[in-house]
Every structure is written in C-alpha cells, then in structure tokens.
Amino acid sequence: VVRKFEHSAGRSDEEVSDSVAQHLLGDSTGLLDEQWLGNEQEEHDCYVTELLYIHSKVMIVDDRRVIMGSANINDRSQKGDGDSEIAVVVEDTDQLETSMDGRPYVANRFAATLRRKIMKEHLGLIPPQFCETGKEPVTSFMRAVPYPAEDETQSDEDRLVADPLSDEFLELWDSTARKNRQVFGEIFKTVPTDVVRNWDQYKAYLPKVKTGHIASDLPLYQVKQKLASVRGALVTAPLDFLIEENRLVSGPEWLGLDPTLPIYI
C-alpha cells in the first residue's frame, strides 16, 4: 500500500530525509548536505521542532548505583497506597578507575558507563542509529545480558564526559545547552523561555505560525546554517518563565499543601 501511494506521487523522494534530527548527533554528513526536491518555500515549511518528552525515571548516584523504575515524584507513586510501581537497583562489582572533581575515583562500570552514554547523547557525541531497511547490523548495545557492551571508556568522546564535576565538562555542558537554546529560540520562538516573564509578554512573544514551525524572518539558508550548529538535544531550563506571575509561584500549594509542586516548577 505504501509503495502504491509513493508511486502515485509522480516523483521519487528517496533522496529526501524524513527527518534531519540525526545531524544533532555525530553524523557523517551535515544539515547543509540535505537534498530537497521542492521549492524554497516548501522546504521552509517542512522545518518543524517538536517537544522531546522523556518519561523514563532513572537516578544514577555517584557513578556507583542506578535506580530505574516507574515511580513519579508525586503522592500517587510515593505514598504506597496509590499506583503500583516497580523499580530495579543496580550496584555491580565491576569497578572502573576514573576521576571525580579532578581526583582519583573508583566507580562501578554499569552506573558510570550508563551515565556517560546518556550525557554523550545529550551533547551529540554519539553517532545516529538508522533503521531504514531492517537489515542494519546488531551492535553490542542492542544485546541483553550476558553479552557485554563494547568498551568505550577510552574514546575521546567518553573522556569528555568521564568527570561530571570537572570545569571542562561543566563548560561543555553549559555552553552546549546555551547555544542550543539560543538557536531554537531564535528560529522557532520556543516556549517556555526566560524571555517571557508574564502573560502579557507571552501573548506578544507567541509566534503567529503553526506550532513548531519556523518563526524567524531570516532567509532559509541562514536558518539552516544556525540549525546546523545545534549539537545534541540539551537546552537550558527556563527557570524564569512567567516568574512575574505571583499566583503561579505563591499561594497555599507553596505553603506545604503540595510539597512536590516546587520540584516541578
């Protein structure tokens, strides 16, 4: 059915990517290499940003222990008489000599490598994984125990995230988040944002385009140049969004009736 639908289009679009998100990662090509078969306005209208909603619950403590489960930080999960939850705690004995805050440190391999892998993805330091033909090779990371994952601890990318308290890592983390937030804000006028501090500013800031589409007046080639500079999916948290709306940050909920509310905000 899909092939019949594609054939009826009158032209093939196999040269055009369904998504350009792979360029956030360590792809062998760049956004500016992407092909487009239509006119410039059609290409402009196809650039869309979407919210990446991560619903997993993972806590990695000191690169030694990992808690992975279904519980949320709310009454339904934490009081014990609400939702049914499940979690697993991993504390392995395979130790890894590394550093923490610039000092020698002994971590547990599972916790440390999981934390590093996640941070490398956030920073765009891993290659993209494509699943287009169903015949892609199976990597060690796709296999379950007892098959070990490939050791990446000696790679240049892994060294960048090995010590999460080092000045070098924190600068990489913060600068990447700031740069990505700046680009997304300029091109798509994303919300929430620190630029918007009250409802009046929100109404004036909200772009008059379809949700997620380009809201900038820049020509398309400049838009693509700026988007090509985005690395990973990391952005700064807009902690000042609507901060001047007192009823959103004050009231009985903030006086103890809902102790988890400040955590969400």
Side-chain angles (χ1 to χ4, degrees), residues 94 109-110 113-114 117 120 129 138-154 158:
D94 184 3
R109 184 174 295 274
F110 179 83
T113 55
L114 176 62
K117 193 74 169 182
K120 284 188 292 184
Q129 290 181 325
V138 175
T139 70
S140 64
F141 300 104
M142 299 177 185
R143 307 192 72 178
V145 292
Y147 300 99
E150 178 185 350
D151 186 358
E152 297 181 331
T153 57
Q154 300 305 312
D158 212 72

Side-chain angles (χ1 to χ4, degrees), residues 156-177:
D156 292 338
E157 293 80 9
D158 212 72
R159 292 189 183 97
L160 291 174
V161 299
D163 186 343
L165 298 181
S166 69
D167 292 339
E168 294 79 10
F169 169 79
L170 293 175
E171 173 58 27
L172 173 64
W173 188 261
D174 292 341
S175 62
T176 300

Side-chain angles (χ1 to χ4, degrees), residues 8 25 31 53 80 105 126 143 157 183-184 187 201-202 249:
S8 67
L25 303 174
L31 178 63
Y53 183 68
Y105 186 78
I126 66 172
R143 307 192 72 178
E157 293 80 9
V183 172
F184 283 124
I187 301 302
Q201 292 179 358
Y202 176 82
V249 294

Side-chain angles (χ1 to χ4, degrees), residues 95-108:
Q95 295 184 323
L96 176 67
E97 292 187 4
T98 180
S99 62
M100 188 71 73
D101 199 15
R103 296 188 291 269
Y105 186 78
V106 178
N108 289 348

Side-chain angles (χ1 to χ4, degrees), residues 1 29 62 81 85 116 124 193 218 230 259 263:
V1 175
T29 63
D62 298 335
D81 58 358
E85 307 291 356
R116 294 181 188 186
T193 172
L218 292 173
V230 172
I263 296 176

Side-chain angles (χ1 to χ4, degrees), residues 211-246:
T211 302
H213 285 251
I214 293 176
S216 171
D217 293 328
L218 292 173
L220 181 60
Y221 77 92
Q222 289 188 11
V223 168
K224 293 167 67 173
Q225 286 179 332
K226 289 181 178 294
L227 290 177
S229 69
V230 172
R231 288 293 174 266
L234 188 67
V235 295
T236 55
L239 299 180
D240 289 335
F241 178 60
L242 296 180
I243 194 66
E244 296 175 1
E245 295 293 330
N246 291 330

